[in-house]
Amino acid sequence: MDQPRTALVSKFMTLERHIIEGERSHPDATGAFSGLLHGLSLAAKLVWREVTKAGLVNILGMTDHVNVSGDEVKKLDEFADETIYRAMDHTGHLCVMASEENESLLNIPDHYSHGNYVLIYDPLDGSGNIDANVTVGTIFSVFKRVTPSGKGTMEDILQPGYKQVAAGYVLFSSSMMFLYSTGHGVHGFTLDPTVGEFLLSHENIRIPKRGAIYSVNEGNFNRWDPNMRRYVEYLKSECKEEKRPYAARYIGSLAADFHRTLLYGGIYCYPGDMKNPDGKLRLMYENNPLAYIVEQAGGAASDGKRRILDIVPEKLHQRSPLFIGSSEDVKIAEEFLGGKR
Ligand code: P6P
């Protein structure tokens, strides 16, 4: 039977068209936003091209230095970092950038015009898993600048997460996905490599109110505070209505663990511990963008006590504990962590 034209057309919603149509719903839209997101999707494809051939070309293996967070930097990290910067620095939409791989902020070259947005990104999160062919991801966050014009400053970057105007992530896995939100729901696009286009595959993603999966590195169990230990023991007990425990899943690549949590529900936790009271994950590059996404999908994100998006950042690479996922699961976690259960 012939598909009615509208059904056929809506089936092939590209990322580009989705962004432009979304732009139309912003009364003061100038097209800058579309240009910014389009630049990011181009950068993602360029990184994908290298990630997919990584096994063949000698760009695996360690470089001879570590990044500001002390992680061993892999060549693909550097490539992704430079590719995103170069794809975005001349667009005229940004006044400043910040990358998880760079100690300080990243200026826009003087010979390019400076725009009204700020881009903060983790170029290749989970890259420690690259050699094992595990899913890795790019995570990004967009703010409007707060300074009036010219070169962006740290003041433009160190804004609380609730001021984000967009956030998203790219998954480099068996297929490549680009997910984003501009405050009107969360939408996922899957790359059709035969045409080089991202096609809408997950429209208006909603996370279940409560899930049945928990995701945490239990290797740190002995370092946790007693309330955190009691919370995980609770998840392993017959706590679900049907008298069974939660399932444990942990990939060790945040973008992948988060994406599964977003689609299936449940909770991802990276708590603080005796050795690292603020945990391992970075507020600006990981926690803020994912918190924006999960709230847009009806979920929640907390540092164990307060909403991630309400945290006022003081340092570019500051860390915070992260409890993110289904709203009811995050609420239960906060009750245990606060000694109320
Ligand atoms: P651990 C990767 O280095 C990362 O930042 C996240 O992608 C991942 O979720 C986390 O660290 C894994 O940390 O301590 O469990 O190995």
Side-chain angles (χ1 to χ4, degrees):
M1 181 189 81
D2 288 343
Q3 285 268 17
R5 279 189 60 75
T6 46
L8 205 56
V9 168
S10 63
K11 209 162 71 169
F12 290 102
M13 170 65 84
T14 62
L15 172 61
E16 201 156 11
R17 198 169 127 229
H18 194 270
I19 293 169
I20 290 166
E21 293 194 356
E23 186 93 38
R24 287 188 196 134
S25 66
H26 286 270
D28 60 349
T30 63
F33 214 33
S34 303
L36 197 164
L37 288 168
H38 178 69
L40 272 171
S41 74
L42 171 65
K45 290 179 202 170
L46 295 171
V47 173
W48 171 250
R49 189 178 59 185
E50 294 307 309
V51 167
T52 44
K53 68 184 182 190
L56 308 172
V57 176
N58 176 27
I59 55 175
L60 290 179
M62 314 300 259
T63 55
D64 53 3
H65 64 282
V66 296
N67 64 16
V68 287
S69 307
D71 297 333
E72 193 72 58
V73 179
K74 294 213 171 223
K75 291 176 185 172
L76 224 42
D77 263 353
E78 287 177 336
F79 174 83
D81 189 34
E82 284 163 25
T83 301
I84 294 168
Y85 179 79
R86 289 218 188 102
M88 302 305 294
D89 66 353
H90 58 283
T91 58
H93 304 312
L94 299 172
C95 63
V96 67
M97 288 189 251
S99 160
E100 192 263 340
E101 292 295 335
N102 293 269
E103 189 151 0
S104 186
L105 56 77
L106 299 172
N107 288 314
I108 303 300
D110 291 340
H111 52 282
Y112 293 138
S113 57
H114 291 66
N116 293 322
Y117 293 98
V118 177
L119 175 66
I120 300 171
Y121 63 93
D122 185 352
L124 209 60
D125 186 88
S127 57
N129 298 294
I130 291 176
D131 291 356
N133 219 3
V134 169
T135 299
V136 291
T138 297
I139 305 172
F140 64 87
S141 167
V142 182
F143 290 87
K144 263 283 184 73
R145 71 180 305 165
V146 292
T147 56
S149 62
K151 256 188 200 314
T153 67
M154 202 55 94
E155 187 189 356
D156 292 305
I157 293 177
L158 295 181
Q159 299 184 54
Y162 68 83
K163 292 198 171 177
Q164 289 174 97
V165 292
Y169 58 92
V170 183
L171 281 177
F172 302 106
S173 180
S174 49
S175 65
M176 180 183 175
M177 283 195 72
F178 186 104
L179 290 95
Y180 83 108
S181 175
T182 59
H184 300 277
V186 180
H187 309 286
F189 297 77
T190 301
L191 182 73
D192 178 340
T194 60
V195 293
E197 285 284 1
F198 282 108
L199 300 180
L200 182 63
S201 53
H202 298 69
E203 186 166 24
N204 198 24
I205 297 171
R206 303 297 293 169
I207 187 171
K209 284 238 166 299
R210 186 172 180 186
I213 299 171
Y214 76 101
S215 186
V216 67
N217 181 347
E218 293 201 50
N220 298 322
F221 185 88
N222 293 327
R223 291 180 180 168
W224 294 339
D225 82 34
N227 287 336
M228 180 64 200
R229 294 186 198 175
R230 283 189 316 104
Y231 172 53
V232 171
E233 295 297 353
Y234 160 78
L235 295 173
K236 295 161 107 163
S237 69
E238 294 189 340
C239 59
K240 290 291 293 173
E241 301 72 43
E242 53 281 24
K243 291 276 170 257
R244 60 174 180 72
Y246 278 55
R249 296 283 183 278
Y250 193 71
I251 301 167
S253 185
L254 178 59
D257 279 318
F258 174 77
H259 186 64
R260 182 205 54 246
T261 305
L262 181 69
L263 296 188
Y264 297 166
I267 189 165
Y268 171 91
C269 314
Y270 207 107
D273 60 39
M274 287 187 281
K275 193 160 174 280
N276 304 298
D278 290 330
K280 173 180 185 181
L281 302 181
R282 272 73 47 152
L283 174 65
M284 302 306 292
Y285 303 99
E286 293 159 314
N287 300 355
N288 266 343
L290 298 184
Y292 181 88
I293 292 282
V294 83
E295 288 198 4
Q296 280 294 315
S302 162
D303 68 354
K305 300 190 192 78
R306 58 190 164 158
R307 183 181 177 231
I308 288 286
L309 296 184
D310 288 338
I311 299 175
V312 179
E314 287 156 16
K315 292 199 301 295
L316 196 48
H317 290 273
Q318 83 182 55
R319 299 168 192 265
S320 88
L322 179 67
F323 296 83
I324 189 167
S326 298
S327 52
E328 286 180 23
D329 283 301
V330 172
K331 184 166 170 286
I332 293 169
E334 287 182 324
E335 288 167 356
F336 272 93
L337 292 162
K340 297 190 182 91
R341 277 181 88 135

